[in-house]
Amino acid sequence: MSKPVDLKALERQAYLTYHGDGIIDLFLGFVIVWLSVLAVILPEFFIFLVGSFVALFPSYTSAKKSFTIPRMGYVEFSATRQWKTKQLFVVINLVTVMGVVLGLLAWLVPLVSAFIVTYFLLILGGAGGGVFLLIAYVTGIKRFYGYGLAIFSGFVIAFLFSLSVLIPLCSLGAIMITYGSVLLYRFTRKYPKGERDEAQEPY
Amino acid sequence: MSEETTPPQIPIVDDIDRVIHEPARLIIMSYLFVLNKVDFLFLKQQTKLSWGNLSSHITKLEEEGYLEVIKKFVDRKPYTLIQLTKTGRMAFEAYQQQMKHMFEGLNP
């Protein structure tokens, strides 16, 4: 027996299929690796440079245009979905700005500085994990719940065992890049590029 | 004393929009109802219809004035995009209501 048409599920399925290419995972994985590199090269300026990942956004858009649209087709999601995405970007930017403000406070107020230095890993884990959980909640991409929990537990472990900040960052970056590559491979197999060229579009 | 029996209320199905009611067109209309604009390829991937089938159903829906086909350049590449017209959106909403009422009428 066929199932009734659930419009919300239909929209969600279209959205998840569009993001099933793994490009978002690859992009965020590289952002995390980029942040790790910054933490090694410029540790004293790290907190101020967190927002530099915004410079990597054009690569995400470009990858979607090169891989996803030729294989999957072009889609403009509903105004509600676009509004949710914009709100998500606003929240991510706010978290980044808060990070920069914390960095400034750490430089200017010694008491705050001592607190941040002590709990740096927990603050970063909480903020990073929170952002990933928020992405998962807003977009409905469930694997981001896993990433959120992984980043939070990674930083907690690093805090408890006095590990370098690089260990949780690089581990999560590697997990995301690997999983993103697997998804991209599956996506390119499922949706070959030649489909549009063979199309007999009537208009 | 003879009991007068009133004929049971049979839901009126004649008013159902048969253009939308066809399964393939219903799924096309459903996608267009929840998405803003889509191109042929995206719709084909989602609906799993063949190019020929999709094309003929889209033509039918366009003839009814339920959807419009737009040419748009995205990153200097031409795309044939499809979106619901206001008439199409209203017709789909009316269809939803009609179906809801019809099934309500079928309750024992």
PDB file of all heavy atoms in Angstrom, chain A residues 7 10 65 69 71-78 191 195-196 201-203, chain B residues 30 35-37 39-40 42 44-45 55 62 71-72 75 79-81 96:
ATOM      1  N   LEU A   7       3.968  16.450   3.058  1.00  0.00           N
ATOM      2  CA  LEU A   7       4.658  17.566   2.409  1.00  0.00           C
ATOM      3  C   LEU A   7       5.934  17.980   3.138  1.00  0.00           C
ATOM      4  O   LEU A   7       6.933  18.287   2.501  1.00  0.00           O
ATOM      5  CB  LEU A   7       3.709  18.759   2.265  1.00  0.00           C
ATOM      6  CG  LEU A   7       2.545  18.541   1.295  1.00  0.00           C
ATOM      7  CD1 LEU A   7       1.590  19.706   1.331  1.00  0.00           C
ATOM      8  CD2 LEU A   7       3.033  18.316  -0.122  1.00  0.00           C
ATOM      9  N   LEU A  10       8.567  15.502   2.423  1.00  0.00           N
ATOM     10  CA  LEU A  10       8.994  15.647   1.026  1.00  0.00           C
ATOM     11  C   LEU A  10      10.050  16.747   0.906  1.00  0.00           C
ATOM     12  O   LEU A  10      11.091  16.570   0.266  1.00  0.00           O
ATOM     13  CB  LEU A  10       7.770  16.028   0.189  1.00  0.00           C
ATOM     14  CG  LEU A  10       7.690  15.520  -1.228  1.00  0.00           C
ATOM     15  CD1 LEU A  10       7.638  14.017  -1.279  1.00  0.00           C
ATOM     16  CD2 LEU A  10       6.443  16.101  -1.901  1.00  0.00           C
ATOM     17  N   LYS A  65      28.382  24.250  -7.021  1.00  0.00           N
ATOM     18  CA  LYS A  65      28.106  24.530  -8.433  1.00  0.00           C
ATOM     19  C   LYS A  65      28.784  23.514  -9.353  1.00  0.00           C
ATOM     20  O   LYS A  65      28.252  23.165 -10.391  1.00  0.00           O
ATOM     21  CB  LYS A  65      28.585  25.947  -8.782  1.00  0.00           C
ATOM     22  CG  LYS A  65      27.623  27.031  -8.306  1.00  0.00           C
ATOM     23  CD  LYS A  65      28.179  28.398  -8.567  1.00  0.00           C
ATOM     24  CE  LYS A  65      27.270  29.468  -7.967  1.00  0.00           C
ATOM     25  NZ  LYS A  65      27.950  30.777  -7.923  1.00  0.00           N
ATOM     26  N   ILE A  69      25.043  20.668  -8.532  1.00  0.00           N
ATOM     27  CA  ILE A  69      24.036  21.146  -9.493  1.00  0.00           C
ATOM     28  C   ILE A  69      24.100  20.381 -10.825  1.00  0.00           C
ATOM     29  O   ILE A  69      23.056  19.951 -11.316  1.00  0.00           O
ATOM     30  CB  ILE A  69      24.108  22.675  -9.659  1.00  0.00           C
ATOM     31  CG1 ILE A  69      23.754  23.337  -8.314  1.00  0.00           C
ATOM     32  CG2 ILE A  69      23.174  23.175 -10.763  1.00  0.00           C
ATOM     33  CD1 ILE A  69      23.927  24.840  -8.268  1.00  0.00           C
ATOM     34  N   ARG A  71      24.819  17.374 -11.348  1.00  0.00           N
ATOM     35  CA  ARG A  71      24.363  15.994 -11.154  1.00  0.00           C
ATOM     36  C   ARG A  71      22.937  15.909 -10.617  1.00  0.00           C
ATOM     37  O   ARG A  71      22.166  15.046 -11.003  1.00  0.00           O
ATOM     38  CB  ARG A  71      25.301  15.264 -10.174  1.00  0.00           C
ATOM     39  CG  ARG A  71      26.661  15.013 -10.746  1.00  0.00           C
ATOM     40  CD  ARG A  71      27.582  14.425  -9.704  1.00  0.00           C
ATOM     41  NE  ARG A  71      28.800  13.924 -10.318  1.00  0.00           N
ATOM     42  CZ  ARG A  71      29.856  14.660 -10.576  1.00  0.00           C
ATOM     43  NH1 ARG A  71      29.851  15.938 -10.268  1.00  0.00           N
ATOM     44  NH2 ARG A  71      30.923  14.144 -11.152  1.00  0.00           N
ATOM     45  N   MET A  72      22.637  16.805  -9.690  1.00  0.00           N
ATOM     46  CA  MET A  72      21.376  16.712  -8.951  1.00  0.00           C
ATOM     47  C   MET A  72      20.314  17.636  -9.511  1.00  0.00           C
ATOM     48  O   MET A  72      19.119  17.382  -9.386  1.00  0.00           O
ATOM     49  CB  MET A  72      21.712  17.093  -7.497  1.00  0.00           C
ATOM     50  CG  MET A  72      20.577  17.176  -6.552  1.00  0.00           C
ATOM     51  SD  MET A  72      20.544  15.720  -5.548  1.00  0.00           S
ATOM     52  CE  MET A  72      19.158  14.900  -6.233  1.00  0.00           C
ATOM     53  N   GLY A  73      20.770  18.718 -10.148  1.00  0.00           N
ATOM     54  CA  GLY A  73      19.838  19.722 -10.645  1.00  0.00           C
ATOM     55  C   GLY A  73      19.824  20.939  -9.735  1.00  0.00           C
ATOM     56  O   GLY A  73      20.387  20.910  -8.636  1.00  0.00           O
ATOM     57  N   TYR A  74      19.179  21.993 -10.228  1.00  0.00           N
ATOM     58  CA  TYR A  74      19.143  23.247  -9.482  1.00  0.00           C
ATOM     59  C   TYR A  74      17.843  23.339  -8.694  1.00  0.00           C
ATOM     60  O   TYR A  74      16.787  22.969  -9.187  1.00  0.00           O
ATOM     61  CB  TYR A  74      19.252  24.416 -10.464  1.00  0.00           C
ATOM     62  CG  TYR A  74      19.221  25.773  -9.813  1.00  0.00           C
ATOM     63  CD1 TYR A  74      20.363  26.327  -9.251  1.00  0.00           C
ATOM     64  CD2 TYR A  74      18.038  26.501  -9.743  1.00  0.00           C
ATOM     65  CE1 TYR A  74      20.339  27.574  -8.650  1.00  0.00           C
ATOM     66  CE2 TYR A  74      18.002  27.752  -9.139  1.00  0.00           C
ATOM     67  CZ  TYR A  74      19.158  28.275  -8.594  1.00  0.00           C
ATOM     68  OH  TYR A  74      19.119  29.508  -7.985  1.00  0.00           O
ATOM     69  N   VAL A  75      17.941  23.831  -7.466  1.00  0.00           N
ATOM     70  CA  VAL A  75      16.729  23.983  -6.644  1.00  0.00           C
ATOM     71  C   VAL A  75      16.848  25.230  -5.773  1.00  0.00           C
ATOM     72  O   VAL A  75      17.927  25.571  -5.302  1.00  0.00           O
ATOM     73  CB  VAL A  75      16.490  22.719  -5.766  1.00  0.00           C
ATOM     74  CG1 VAL A  75      17.669  22.407  -4.878  1.00  0.00           C
ATOM     75  CG2 VAL A  75      15.229  22.841  -4.925  1.00  0.00           C
ATOM     76  N   GLU A  76      15.742  25.914  -5.655  1.00  0.00           N
ATOM     77  CA  GLU A  76      15.667  27.019  -4.689  1.00  0.00           C
ATOM     78  C   GLU A  76      14.659  26.586  -3.631  1.00  0.00           C
ATOM     79  O   GLU A  76      13.487  26.349  -3.951  1.00  0.00           O
ATOM     80  CB  GLU A  76      15.178  28.299  -5.377  1.00  0.00           C
ATOM     81  CG  GLU A  76      16.267  29.004  -6.169  1.00  0.00           C
ATOM     82  CD  GLU A  76      15.770  30.264  -6.862  1.00  0.00           C
ATOM     83  OE1 GLU A  76      14.768  30.864  -6.420  1.00  0.00           O
ATOM     84  OE2 GLU A  76      16.388  30.628  -7.876  1.00  0.00           O
ATOM     85  N   PHE A  77      15.123  26.477  -2.397  1.00  0.00           N
ATOM     86  CA  PHE A  77      14.240  26.006  -1.332  1.00  0.00           C
ATOM     87  C   PHE A  77      13.266  27.106  -0.911  1.00  0.00           C
ATOM     88  O   PHE A  77      13.429  28.265  -1.283  1.00  0.00           O
ATOM     89  CB  PHE A  77      15.067  25.479  -0.160  1.00  0.00           C
ATOM     90  CG  PHE A  77      15.751  24.188  -0.490  1.00  0.00           C
ATOM     91  CD1 PHE A  77      17.069  24.169  -0.904  1.00  0.00           C
ATOM     92  CD2 PHE A  77      15.053  22.995  -0.448  1.00  0.00           C
ATOM     93  CE1 PHE A  77      17.690  22.982  -1.259  1.00  0.00           C
ATOM     94  CE2 PHE A  77      15.665  21.801  -0.799  1.00  0.00           C
ATOM     95  CZ  PHE A  77      16.981  21.804  -1.211  1.00  0.00           C
ATOM     96  N   SER A  78      12.274  26.709  -0.140  1.00  0.00           N
ATOM     97  CA  SER A  78      11.212  27.643   0.256  1.00  0.00           C
ATOM     98  C   SER A  78      11.757  28.799   1.092  1.00  0.00           C
ATOM     99  O   SER A  78      12.865  28.714   1.639  1.00  0.00           O
ATOM    100  CB  SER A  78      10.164  26.893   1.066  1.00  0.00           C
ATOM    101  OG  SER A  78      10.741  26.472   2.276  1.00  0.00           O
ATOM    102  N   TYR A 191      24.597   9.766  -8.843  1.00  0.00           N
ATOM    103  CA  TYR A 191      24.142  10.792  -9.782  1.00  0.00           C
ATOM    104  C   TYR A 191      25.267  11.131 -10.760  1.00  0.00           C
ATOM    105  O   TYR A 191      26.019  12.070 -10.543  1.00  0.00           O
ATOM    106  CB  TYR A 191      23.721  12.061  -9.029  1.00  0.00           C
ATOM    107  CG  TYR A 191      22.631  11.838  -8.019  1.00  0.00           C
ATOM    108  CD1 TYR A 191      22.913  11.797  -6.653  1.00  0.00           C
ATOM    109  CD2 TYR A 191      21.305  11.653  -8.411  1.00  0.00           C
ATOM    110  CE1 TYR A 191      21.917  11.581  -5.716  1.00  0.00           C
ATOM    111  CE2 TYR A 191      20.310  11.432  -7.480  1.00  0.00           C
ATOM    112  CZ  TYR A 191      20.627  11.401  -6.126  1.00  0.00           C
ATOM    113  OH  TYR A 191      19.638  11.186  -5.209  1.00  0.00           O
ATOM    114  N   GLU A 195      23.910  12.967 -17.013  1.00  0.00           N
ATOM    115  CA  GLU A 195      22.444  12.923 -17.032  1.00  0.00           C
ATOM    116  C   GLU A 195      21.813  14.124 -17.725  1.00  0.00           C
ATOM    117  O   GLU A 195      20.933  13.984 -18.547  1.00  0.00           O
ATOM    118  CB  GLU A 195      21.930  12.840 -15.595  1.00  0.00           C
ATOM    119  CG  GLU A 195      20.465  12.547 -15.460  1.00  0.00           C
ATOM    120  CD  GLU A 195      20.153  11.065 -15.344  1.00  0.00           C
ATOM    121  OE1 GLU A 195      21.075  10.266 -15.228  1.00  0.00           O
ATOM    122  OE2 GLU A 195      18.975  10.731 -15.395  1.00  0.00           O
ATOM    123  N   ARG A 196      22.322  15.329 -17.418  1.00  0.00           N
ATOM    124  CA  ARG A 196      21.708  16.526 -17.973  1.00  0.00           C
ATOM    125  C   ARG A 196      21.958  16.634 -19.481  1.00  0.00           C
ATOM    126  O   ARG A 196      21.092  17.063 -20.220  1.00  0.00           O
ATOM    127  CB  ARG A 196      22.235  17.780 -17.287  1.00  0.00           C
ATOM    128  CG  ARG A 196      21.532  19.039 -17.737  1.00  0.00           C
ATOM    129  CD  ARG A 196      22.142  20.250 -17.109  1.00  0.00           C
ATOM    130  NE  ARG A 196      21.870  20.322 -15.687  1.00  0.00           N
ATOM    131  CZ  ARG A 196      20.708  20.733 -15.171  1.00  0.00           C
ATOM    132  NH1 ARG A 196      19.732  21.120 -15.966  1.00  0.00           N
ATOM    133  NH2 ARG A 196      20.527  20.771 -13.879  1.00  0.00           N
ATOM    134  N   GLU A 201      14.989  18.087 -22.569  1.00  0.00           N
ATOM    135  CA  GLU A 201      14.101  19.039 -21.922  1.00  0.00           C
ATOM    136  C   GLU A 201      13.225  19.720 -22.975  1.00  0.00           C
ATOM    137  O   GLU A 201      13.732  20.141 -24.010  1.00  0.00           O
ATOM    138  CB  GLU A 201      14.920  20.079 -21.141  1.00  0.00           C
ATOM    139  CG  GLU A 201      15.628  19.442 -19.957  1.00  0.00           C
ATOM    140  CD  GLU A 201      16.362  20.440 -19.083  1.00  0.00           C
ATOM    141  OE1 GLU A 201      16.126  21.648 -19.240  1.00  0.00           O
ATOM    142  OE2 GLU A 201      17.157  19.985 -18.250  1.00  0.00           O
ATOM    143  N   PRO A 202      11.929  19.783 -22.717  1.00  0.00           N
ATOM    144  CA  PRO A 202      11.017  20.228 -23.758  1.00  0.00           C
ATOM    145  C   PRO A 202      10.985  21.741 -23.976  1.00  0.00           C
ATOM    146  O   PRO A 202      10.204  22.194 -24.782  1.00  0.00           O
ATOM    147  CB  PRO A 202       9.667  19.725 -23.258  1.00  0.00           C
ATOM    148  CG  PRO A 202       9.794  19.705 -21.796  1.00  0.00           C
ATOM    149  CD  PRO A 202      11.204  19.448 -21.486  1.00  0.00           C
ATOM    150  N   TYR A 203      11.783  22.504 -23.234  1.00  0.00           N
ATOM    151  CA  TYR A 203      11.674  23.962 -23.390  1.00  0.00           C
ATOM    152  C   TYR A 203      13.002  24.578 -23.769  1.00  0.00           C
ATOM    153  O   TYR A 203      14.016  24.102 -23.348  1.00  0.00           O
ATOM    154  CB  TYR A 203      11.173  24.595 -22.083  1.00  0.00           C
ATOM    155  CG  TYR A 203       9.770  24.139 -21.745  1.00  0.00           C
ATOM    156  CD1 TYR A 203       9.562  23.056 -20.912  1.00  0.00           C
ATOM    157  CD2 TYR A 203       8.674  24.775 -22.313  1.00  0.00           C
ATOM    158  CE1 TYR A 203       8.284  22.619 -20.623  1.00  0.00           C
ATOM    159  CE2 TYR A 203       7.386  24.343 -22.013  1.00  0.00           C
ATOM    160  CZ  TYR A 203       7.214  23.263 -21.171  1.00  0.00           C
ATOM    161  OH  TYR A 203       5.936  22.834 -20.892  1.00  0.00           O
TER     162      TYR A 203
ATOM    163  N   SER B  30       3.205  18.389  -5.501  1.00  0.00           N
ATOM    164  CA  SER B  30       3.609  18.386  -4.094  1.00  0.00           C
ATOM    165  C   SER B  30       5.018  18.958  -3.940  1.00  0.00           C
ATOM    166  O   SER B  30       5.276  19.765  -3.048  1.00  0.00           O
ATOM    167  CB  SER B  30       3.583  16.967  -3.525  1.00  0.00           C
ATOM    168  OG  SER B  30       2.304  16.430  -3.656  1.00  0.00           O
ATOM    169  N   LEU B  35       8.766  23.480  -2.559  1.00  0.00           N
ATOM    170  CA  LEU B  35      10.029  24.081  -2.985  1.00  0.00           C
ATOM    171  C   LEU B  35       9.706  25.335  -3.794  1.00  0.00           C
ATOM    172  O   LEU B  35       8.655  25.413  -4.424  1.00  0.00           O
ATOM    173  CB  LEU B  35      10.845  23.093  -3.823  1.00  0.00           C
ATOM    174  CG  LEU B  35      11.198  21.768  -3.125  1.00  0.00           C
ATOM    175  CD1 LEU B  35      11.804  20.790  -4.117  1.00  0.00           C
ATOM    176  CD2 LEU B  35      12.156  22.003  -1.968  1.00  0.00           C
ATOM    177  N   ASN B  36      10.619  26.259  -3.799  1.00  0.00           N
ATOM    178  CA  ASN B  36      10.363  27.520  -4.496  1.00  0.00           C
ATOM    179  C   ASN B  36      10.465  27.350  -6.021  1.00  0.00           C
ATOM    180  O   ASN B  36       9.487  27.513  -6.740  1.00  0.00           O
ATOM    181  CB  ASN B  36      11.355  28.567  -3.975  1.00  0.00           C
ATOM    182  CG  ASN B  36      11.020  29.956  -4.443  1.00  0.00           C
ATOM    183  OD1 ASN B  36       9.935  30.174  -4.950  1.00  0.00           O
ATOM    184  ND2 ASN B  36      11.946  30.877  -4.276  1.00  0.00           N
ATOM    185  N   LYS B  37      11.661  27.011  -6.486  1.00  0.00           N
ATOM    186  CA  LYS B  37      11.884  26.769  -7.923  1.00  0.00           C
ATOM    187  C   LYS B  37      12.767  25.539  -8.064  1.00  0.00           C
ATOM    188  O   LYS B  37      13.700  25.359  -7.281  1.00  0.00           O
ATOM    189  CB  LYS B  37      12.634  27.942  -8.557  1.00  0.00           C
ATOM    190  CG  LYS B  37      11.841  29.212  -8.719  1.00  0.00           C
ATOM    191  CD  LYS B  37      12.651  30.221  -9.547  1.00  0.00           C
ATOM    192  CE  LYS B  37      11.972  31.564  -9.568  1.00  0.00           C
ATOM    193  NZ  LYS B  37      12.331  32.425  -8.437  1.00  0.00           N
ATOM    194  N   ASP B  39      14.675  22.816 -11.201  1.00  0.00           N
ATOM    195  CA  ASP B  39      14.850  22.577 -12.626  1.00  0.00           C
ATOM    196  C   ASP B  39      14.427  21.140 -12.958  1.00  0.00           C
ATOM    197  O   ASP B  39      14.137  20.341 -12.068  1.00  0.00           O
ATOM    198  CB  ASP B  39      16.260  22.946 -13.100  1.00  0.00           C
ATOM    199  CG  ASP B  39      17.309  21.907 -12.770  1.00  0.00           C
ATOM    200  OD1 ASP B  39      17.003  20.994 -11.983  1.00  0.00           O
ATOM    201  OD2 ASP B  39      18.433  22.016 -13.278  1.00  0.00           O
ATOM    202  N   PHE B  40      14.386  20.840 -14.251  1.00  0.00           N
ATOM    203  CA  PHE B  40      13.898  19.543 -14.713  1.00  0.00           C
ATOM    204  C   PHE B  40      14.671  18.388 -14.076  1.00  0.00           C
ATOM    205  O   PHE B  40      14.077  17.403 -13.647  1.00  0.00           O
ATOM    206  CB  PHE B  40      14.040  19.459 -16.237  1.00  0.00           C
ATOM    207  CG  PHE B  40      12.794  19.828 -16.955  1.00  0.00           C
ATOM    208  CD1 PHE B  40      12.387  21.154 -17.055  1.00  0.00           C
ATOM    209  CD2 PHE B  40      12.002  18.856 -17.525  1.00  0.00           C
ATOM    210  CE1 PHE B  40      11.227  21.493 -17.710  1.00  0.00           C
ATOM    211  CE2 PHE B  40      10.826  19.190 -18.185  1.00  0.00           C
ATOM    212  CZ  PHE B  40      10.440  20.503 -18.280  1.00  0.00           C
ATOM    213  N   PHE B  42      16.409  18.185 -11.268  1.00  0.00           N
ATOM    214  CA  PHE B  42      16.127  17.978  -9.846  1.00  0.00           C
ATOM    215  C   PHE B  42      14.785  17.274  -9.664  1.00  0.00           C
ATOM    216  O   PHE B  42      14.666  16.323  -8.888  1.00  0.00           O
ATOM    217  CB  PHE B  42      16.139  19.314  -9.095  1.00  0.00           C
ATOM    218  CG  PHE B  42      16.107  19.155  -7.596  1.00  0.00           C
ATOM    219  CD1 PHE B  42      17.274  18.942  -6.876  1.00  0.00           C
ATOM    220  CD2 PHE B  42      14.910  19.184  -6.902  1.00  0.00           C
ATOM    221  CE1 PHE B  42      17.252  18.777  -5.497  1.00  0.00           C
ATOM    222  CE2 PHE B  42      14.877  19.018  -5.523  1.00  0.00           C
ATOM    223  CZ  PHE B  42      16.050  18.816  -4.828  1.00  0.00           C
ATOM    224  N   LYS B  44      13.268  15.422 -11.809  1.00  0.00           N
ATOM    225  CA  LYS B  44      13.370  14.055 -12.320  1.00  0.00           C
ATOM    226  C   LYS B  44      14.021  13.145 -11.269  1.00  0.00           C
ATOM    227  O   LYS B  44      13.552  12.037 -11.020  1.00  0.00           O
ATOM    228  CB  LYS B  44      14.201  14.029 -13.607  1.00  0.00           C
ATOM    229  CG  LYS B  44      14.301  12.653 -14.233  1.00  0.00           C
ATOM    230  CD  LYS B  44      15.273  12.641 -15.379  1.00  0.00           C
ATOM    231  CE  LYS B  44      15.493  11.228 -15.869  1.00  0.00           C
ATOM    232  NZ  LYS B  44      16.263  10.400 -14.931  1.00  0.00           N
ATOM    233  N   GLN B  45      15.099  13.642 -10.640  1.00  0.00           N
ATOM    234  CA  GLN B  45      15.792  12.842  -9.624  1.00  0.00           C
ATOM    235  C   GLN B  45      14.870  12.544  -8.442  1.00  0.00           C
ATOM    236  O   GLN B  45      14.902  11.457  -7.880  1.00  0.00           O
ATOM    237  CB  GLN B  45      17.029  13.592  -9.086  1.00  0.00           C
ATOM    238  CG  GLN B  45      18.014  14.038 -10.131  1.00  0.00           C
ATOM    239  CD  GLN B  45      18.935  12.930 -10.608  1.00  0.00           C
ATOM    240  OE1 GLN B  45      18.630  11.758 -10.446  1.00  0.00           O
ATOM    241  NE2 GLN B  45      20.030  13.303 -11.241  1.00  0.00           N
ATOM    242  N   SER B  55       8.082  15.364 -18.733  1.00  0.00           N
ATOM    243  CA  SER B  55       7.834  16.423 -19.704  1.00  0.00           C
ATOM    244  C   SER B  55       6.345  16.537 -20.051  1.00  0.00           C
ATOM    245  O   SER B  55       5.782  17.636 -20.081  1.00  0.00           O
ATOM    246  CB  SER B  55       8.666  16.126 -20.946  1.00  0.00           C
ATOM    247  OG  SER B  55       8.341  17.017 -21.940  1.00  0.00           O
ATOM    248  N   GLU B  62       1.194  22.936 -17.121  1.00  0.00           N
ATOM    249  CA  GLU B  62       1.427  24.296 -17.621  1.00  0.00           C
ATOM    250  C   GLU B  62       0.216  24.777 -18.427  1.00  0.00           C
ATOM    251  O   GLU B  62      -0.197  25.932 -18.312  1.00  0.00           O
ATOM    252  CB  GLU B  62       2.696  24.327 -18.479  1.00  0.00           C
ATOM    253  CG  GLU B  62       3.180  25.745 -18.720  1.00  0.00           C
ATOM    254  CD  GLU B  62       4.307  25.828 -19.715  1.00  0.00           C
ATOM    255  OE1 GLU B  62       4.584  24.832 -20.418  1.00  0.00           O
ATOM    256  OE2 GLU B  62       4.903  26.916 -19.822  1.00  0.00           O
ATOM    257  N   LYS B  71      13.201  30.502 -17.825  1.00  0.00           N
ATOM    258  CA  LYS B  71      14.614  30.323 -18.180  1.00  0.00           C
ATOM    259  C   LYS B  71      15.424  31.244 -17.284  1.00  0.00           C
ATOM    260  O   LYS B  71      15.130  32.439 -17.192  1.00  0.00           O
ATOM    261  CB  LYS B  71      14.852  30.704 -19.647  1.00  0.00           C
ATOM    262  CG  LYS B  71      14.376  29.657 -20.637  1.00  0.00           C
ATOM    263  CD  LYS B  71      15.422  28.582 -20.833  1.00  0.00           C
ATOM    264  CE  LYS B  71      14.940  27.579 -21.896  1.00  0.00           C
ATOM    265  NZ  LYS B  71      15.753  26.370 -21.889  1.00  0.00           N
ATOM    266  N   LYS B  72      16.408  30.676 -16.616  1.00  0.00           N
ATOM    267  CA  LYS B  72      17.220  31.510 -15.712  1.00  0.00           C
ATOM    268  C   LYS B  72      18.692  31.154 -15.875  1.00  0.00           C
ATOM    269  O   LYS B  72      19.025  29.971 -16.031  1.00  0.00           O
ATOM    270  CB  LYS B  72      16.769  31.279 -14.256  1.00  0.00           C
ATOM    271  CG  LYS B  72      17.431  32.209 -13.262  1.00  0.00           C
ATOM    272  CD  LYS B  72      16.937  31.933 -11.850  1.00  0.00           C
ATOM    273  CE  LYS B  72      17.695  32.784 -10.845  1.00  0.00           C
ATOM    274  NZ  LYS B  72      17.281  32.540  -9.465  1.00  0.00           N
ATOM    275  N   ASP B  75      25.068  31.351 -12.683  1.00  0.00           N
ATOM    276  CA  ASP B  75      26.500  31.262 -12.933  1.00  0.00           C
ATOM    277  C   ASP B  75      26.783  31.108 -14.440  1.00  0.00           C
ATOM    278  O   ASP B  75      27.553  30.250 -14.856  1.00  0.00           O
ATOM    279  CB  ASP B  75      27.088  30.074 -12.143  1.00  0.00           C
ATOM    280  CG  ASP B  75      28.519  30.329 -11.727  1.00  0.00           C
ATOM    281  OD1 ASP B  75      28.885  31.498 -11.516  1.00  0.00           O
ATOM    282  OD2 ASP B  75      29.277  29.338 -11.639  1.00  0.00           O
ATOM    283  N   TYR B  79      19.278  27.524 -17.117  1.00  0.00           N
ATOM    284  CA  TYR B  79      18.496  26.483 -16.447  1.00  0.00           C
ATOM    285  C   TYR B  79      17.023  26.693 -16.751  1.00  0.00           C
ATOM    286  O   TYR B  79      16.560  27.824 -16.795  1.00  0.00           O
ATOM    287  CB  TYR B  79      18.705  26.516 -14.930  1.00  0.00           C
ATOM    288  CG  TYR B  79      20.053  26.001 -14.507  1.00  0.00           C
ATOM    289  CD1 TYR B  79      21.122  26.872 -14.350  1.00  0.00           C
ATOM    290  CD2 TYR B  79      20.261  24.645 -14.289  1.00  0.00           C
ATOM    291  CE1 TYR B  79      22.379  26.402 -13.984  1.00  0.00           C
ATOM    292  CE2 TYR B  79      21.505  24.164 -13.917  1.00  0.00           C
ATOM    293  CZ  TYR B  79      22.555  25.049 -13.762  1.00  0.00           C
ATOM    294  OH  TYR B  79      23.786  24.573 -13.403  1.00  0.00           O
ATOM    295  N   THR B  80      16.316  25.590 -16.990  1.00  0.00           N
ATOM    296  CA  THR B  80      14.879  25.662 -17.188  1.00  0.00           C
ATOM    297  C   THR B  80      14.231  25.372 -15.842  1.00  0.00           C
ATOM    298  O   THR B  80      14.214  24.233 -15.387  1.00  0.00           O
ATOM    299  CB  THR B  80      14.428  24.617 -18.233  1.00  0.00           C
ATOM    300  OG1 THR B  80      15.256  24.763 -19.387  1.00  0.00           O
ATOM    301  CG2 THR B  80      12.988  24.817 -18.635  1.00  0.00           C
ATOM    302  N   LEU B  81      13.748  26.424 -15.219  1.00  0.00           N
ATOM    303  CA  LEU B  81      13.184  26.266 -13.881  1.00  0.00           C
ATOM    304  C   LEU B  81      11.661  26.222 -13.924  1.00  0.00           C
ATOM    305  O   LEU B  81      11.041  26.851 -14.784  1.00  0.00           O
ATOM    306  CB  LEU B  81      13.632  27.413 -12.976  1.00  0.00           C
ATOM    307  CG  LEU B  81      15.139  27.592 -12.800  1.00  0.00           C
ATOM    308  CD1 LEU B  81      15.428  28.764 -11.885  1.00  0.00           C
ATOM    309  CD2 LEU B  81      15.769  26.340 -12.237  1.00  0.00           C
ATOM    310  N   GLN B  96      -6.233  19.700  -1.588  1.00  0.00           N
ATOM    311  CA  GLN B  96      -5.976  19.148  -0.250  1.00  0.00           C
ATOM    312  C   GLN B  96      -7.258  19.155   0.583  1.00  0.00           C
ATOM    313  O   GLN B  96      -7.587  18.171   1.244  1.00  0.00           O
ATOM    314  CB  GLN B  96      -4.930  19.996   0.473  1.00  0.00           C
ATOM    315  CG  GLN B  96      -3.495  19.703   0.095  1.00  0.00           C
ATOM    316  CD  GLN B  96      -2.553  20.584   0.907  1.00  0.00           C
ATOM    317  OE1 GLN B  96      -2.650  21.802   0.891  1.00  0.00           O
ATOM    318  NE2 GLN B  96      -1.637  19.961   1.612  1.00  0.00           N
TER     319      GLN B  96
END
